Amino acid sequence: MQVQTHVDIHSEWGIVAARQAGRKLAREVGFGSVDQARITTAISELARNIYLYANKGQVYIEEVTSSGKRGIKIIAHDQGPGIKDVRRVMEDGFTTSGGLGAGLPGVKRLMDEFKIDSEPNSGTTITAIKWLR
């Protein structure tokens, strides 16, 4: 049976809850402490983006299997303003919030698979997977 966790993001407490859920599932799947930290960091960044840019959304964290591999899939979804220029937000150093600009490019580096689907005025869905080595 595969495990799935769903966390609503509408406050900073949602970010904390998503991080905790991700770390717990990563531990249960068998990830070591370094990969647990990577997964938790990615979840934190995705949840924080929902909170900052869309005000509310959901983070889904689930165990996945494919071709004999096990991993964790994170889906961050919102119905916010969408990302006008996906290519631009994937550039290191680009920021609209005054942060370091490590956000989405950093998440992509931390995970093994990464995909953004975004439509202006309709929202954004980001899917990322980390495979157990």
Side-chain angles (χ1 to χ4, degrees):
M1 180 174 119
Q2 294 189 329
V3 179
Q4 180 182 41
T5 300
H6 163 247
V7 179
D8 287 321
I9 308 298
H10 50 77
S11 71
E12 292 199 10
W13 290 111
I15 299 167
V16 172
R19 285 176 56 91
Q20 291 172 340
R23 184 176 296 277
K24 180 179 184 287
L25 185 56
R27 191 177 324 116
E28 290 171 2
V29 169
F31 285 97
S33 59
V34 172
D35 278 337
Q36 287 176 36
R38 288 180 177 129
I39 291 164
T40 303
T41 301
I43 290 169
S44 182
E45 182 63 34
L46 293 171
R48 184 163 304 284
N49 282 353
I50 289 171
Y51 180 63
L52 287 175
Y53 300 110
N55 297 319
K56 63 182 179 177
Q58 303 80 34
V59 173
Y60 300 90
I61 308 159
E62 64 185 46
E63 179 182 352
V64 291
T65 56
S66 177
S67 302
K69 300 186 297 185
R70 291 177 71 199
I72 286 187
K73 181 191 314 187
I74 303 159
I75 301 170
H77 177 72
D78 67 63
Q79 286 94 24
I83 300 171
K84 288 180 177 57
D85 188 346
V86 172
R87 201 173 76 204
R88 179 85 194 248
V89 300
M90 291 306 296
E91 293 175 5
D92 281 319
F94 177 78
T95 179
T96 58
S97 66
L100 297 175
L104 294 179
V107 172
K108 184 176 182 181
R109 283 190 294 274
L110 290 169
M111 304 300 282
D112 296 319
E113 296 181 25
F114 181 88
K115 179 182 171 197
I116 297 177
D117 292 309
S118 189
E119 291 291 327
N121 304 314
S122 295
T124 301
T125 301
I126 298 175
T127 305
I129 299 175
K130 184 73 171 171
W131 294 109
L132 189 59
R133 306 222 185 288

